[in-house]
Amino acid sequence: MKNIISNINKAFDHRIRLGIMSVLMVNDHADFKTLKELLGATDGNIASHTKALEKQKYIKVEKSFIDRKPNTRYIATGTGRKAFQEHLDALEKLLHNSNDLGKKE
Amino acid sequence: MKNIISNINKAFDHRIRLGIMSVLMVNDHADFKTLKELLGATDGNIASHTKALEKQKYIKVEKSFIDRKPNTRYIATGTGRKAFQEHLDALEKLLHNSNDLGKKE
DNA sequence: TTAAAGTACTTTGAAATACAAAGTAAAATA
DNA sequence: TATTTTACTTTGTATTTCAAAGTACTTTAA
């Protein structure tokens, strides 16, 4: 490993994306409105952050109509789950392991 | 609590700032070059991220000369340590607690 | 002793990202 | 039928991130 943050995934740097992934790890899906409320974010915010995660193939979108109204539902992909888990492991290491300069690796 | 990420500190969203704080939590100080090497970042990068943390009073800077060369040393402040610990607690909660939509809070 | 190379940063300005306001389109309500 | 609400999407600005270039020395080497 070259540096102590090399396994921290840039895609999860932002708290809203962290929140979205964290919700989608425990629930097999969540819709636009739910994410918006859970995260206290604006519409445009949810739209752009989900789009970013989608672009990375970390989540996928399913559009349908529920009660005649459009519904956008987000689901974590296998790739996304794996990437997020690896990110969490990296975080764990960064935070609990020694970045102690006294120790040589 | 209004939303599940309300206690996540925006100042620590970025992996480089996360890394800097994490290093400064276990070591009572670290200098510019050390941070740069540990984090695999460029000079300008370290300069701007430390400046951001400084602006928040989360770290402080001590400038001196070591072997006739300028040396910039960073130290986490009490405020910074507290804020970072709270951030970690919030992360812990977000990641391990239930954002399970099946459960009402 | 001066020229070239290295060290330790800081500044800068372009590129990428984040944001909320405004826009769209259909549904519910009055 | 008009008005409001719901569920998003688009847009333009504002902010942030980034590394290249700049500054101010110090060290080495001729």
Side-chain angles (χ1 to χ4, degrees), chain A:
Chain A
M1 196 205 297
K2 29 185 187 306
N3 66 64
I4 63 171
I5 54 168
S6 58
N7 290 320
I8 301 275
N9 193 332
K10 198 179 138 111
F12 305 130
D13 260 3
H14 196 281
R15 66 203 183 290
I16 292 184
R17 290 192 298 269
L18 204 68
I20 291 171
M21 286 309 291
S22 139
V23 169
L24 294 182
M25 287 295 274
V26 292
N27 302 282
D28 47 82
H29 59 83
D31 57 31
F32 190 95
K33 202 192 165 194
T34 305
L35 287 179
K36 187 184 132 143
E37 281 166 359
L38 277 175
L39 302 173
T42 58
D43 294 358
N45 236 262
I46 295 295
S48 52
H49 288 295
T50 51
K51 200 164 284 176
L53 291 170
E54 228 190 305
K55 200 173 165 186
Q56 303 283 322
K57 313 268 187 197
Y58 288 166
I59 65 174
K60 62 178 176 172
V61 186
E62 278 177 12
K63 277 164 188 295
S64 64
F65 283 86
I66 294 181
D67 293 331
R68 307 183 138 254
K69 283 179 280 184
N71 181 268
T72 299
R73 161 179 289 189
Y74 300 96
I75 299 126
T77 62
T79 311
R81 292 184 166 273
K82 187 159 171 289
F84 194 63
Q85 193 53 58
E86 283 167 6
H87 177 75
L88 296 189
D89 295 345
L91 265 186
E92 188 89 5
K93 267 191 191 152
L94 172 66
L95 302 173
H96 300 298
N97 272 20
S98 37
N99 312 313
D100 189 339
L101 299 171
K103 287 170 195 158
K104 291 278 168 208
E105 195 204 343

Side-chain angles (χ1 to χ4, degrees), chain B residues 13-44:
Chain B
D13 261 2
H14 197 281
R15 67 204 182 288
I16 292 183
R17 291 191 299 267
L18 204 66
I20 292 170
M21 287 308 292
S22 139
V23 170
L24 295 182
M25 286 296 272
V26 293
N27 302 281
D28 47 81
H29 60 83
D31 56 31
F32 190 95
K33 201 190 166 196
T34 304
L35 286 180
K36 188 184 131 142
E37 282 167 359
L38 277 175
L39 302 173
T42 59
D43 293 359

Side-chain angles (χ1 to χ4, degrees), chain B residues 1 3 5-6 11 13-15 19 27 33 37-38 46-48 54 58 62 65 72-73 77 79 85 96-98 104:
Chain B
M1 195 205 297
N3 66 64
I5 55 169
S6 57
D13 261 2
H14 197 281
R15 67 204 182 288
N27 302 281
K33 201 190 166 196
E37 282 167 359
L38 277 175
I46 295 294
S48 52
E54 228 190 304
Y58 288 165
E62 277 177 14
F65 283 86
T72 300
R73 162 179 289 189
T77 62
T79 312
Q85 193 51 59
H96 300 299
N97 273 19
S98 37
K104 289 282 167 205

